[in-house]
């Protein structure tokens, strides 16, 4: 759990965010480790929020588009999908919380 990430959602989330988006962001923040990564699944976030799988996916895509989190799609050697690697990009700076530049660039799966 990242207390800093959860605090940023609770205290600095944009006013335009609806309660569902705040809840998804909190659920992701709760799974973030000290290195600002998590491998949480959509099913995990769905179970923690009570939202539909489709709604969780849509909201997480919105968080990616806003620069709050980044997603790295991971594949097994046989080409099947593994859990996504999620990176928390939102950092606290003087004057408020802002998206930061990712420390890790997602790696494209082998062609």
């Amino acid at each position: 759990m990242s207390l800093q990430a959860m605090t940023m959602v609770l205290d600095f989330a944009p006013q335009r965010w609806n309660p569902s988006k705040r809840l998804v962001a909190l659920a992701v923040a709760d799974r973030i480790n000290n290195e600002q990564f998590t491998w949480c699944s959509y099913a995990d976030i769905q179970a923690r929020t009570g939202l539909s799988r489709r709604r969780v996916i849509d909201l997480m895509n919105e968080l990616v588009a806003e620069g709050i989190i980044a997603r790295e799609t991971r594949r097994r050697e046989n080409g099947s999908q593994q859990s996504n690697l999620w990176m928390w990009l939102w950092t606290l700076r003087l004057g408020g919380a802002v998206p930061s530049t990712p420390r890790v660039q997602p790696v494209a799966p082998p062609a």
Side-chain angles (χ1 to χ4, degrees), residues 1 6-7 15 29 34 37 39 41 46 54 57 83 90 97 99 104 108-109:
M1 161 177 60
M6 292 180 70
T7 300
Q15 294 268 328
N34 290 337
F37 297 106
W39 289 265
S41 66
Q46 177 186 2
R54 180 74 256 159
I57 291 169
S83 61
W90 212 12
V104 176

Side-chain angles (χ1 to χ4, degrees), residues 2-13 26 29 92:
S2 171
L3 210 44
Q4 181 183 17
M6 292 180 70
T7 300
M8 289 184 338
V9 173
L10 291 170
D11 293 342
F12 297 103
L26 271 175
L92 194 56

Side-chain angles (χ1 to χ4, degrees), residues 89-111:
L89 304 178
W90 212 12
T91 58
L92 194 56
R93 296 198 182 137
L94 193 56
V98 295
S100 66
T101 304
R103 293 185 303 239
V104 176
Q105 296 298 321
V107 177

Side-chain angles (χ1 to χ4, degrees), residues 13-79:
Q15 294 268 328
R16 61 181 157 56
W17 281 12
N18 63 37
S20 295
K21 186 183 275 190
R22 288 175 190 266
L23 189 58
V24 167
L26 271 175
V28 172
D30 188 44
R31 292 294 195 214
I32 296 294
N33 65 19
N34 290 337
E35 287 78 36
Q36 306 303 312
F37 297 106
T38 184
W39 289 265
C40 62
S41 66
Y42 292 126
D44 176 57
I45 301 301
Q46 177 186 2
R48 294 170 63 85
T49 62
L51 299 171
S52 71
R53 178 179 171 84
R54 180 74 256 159
R55 187 71 178 133
V56 167
I57 291 169
D58 290 345
L59 290 169
M60 290 185 76
N61 285 337
E62 288 179 22
L63 292 172
V64 168
E66 290 184 34
I68 304 301
I69 59 176
R71 171 184 41 236
E72 180 180 321
T73 303
R74 301 179 321 135
R75 302 259 176 213
R76 294 181 183 91
E77 288 184 21
N78 67 5

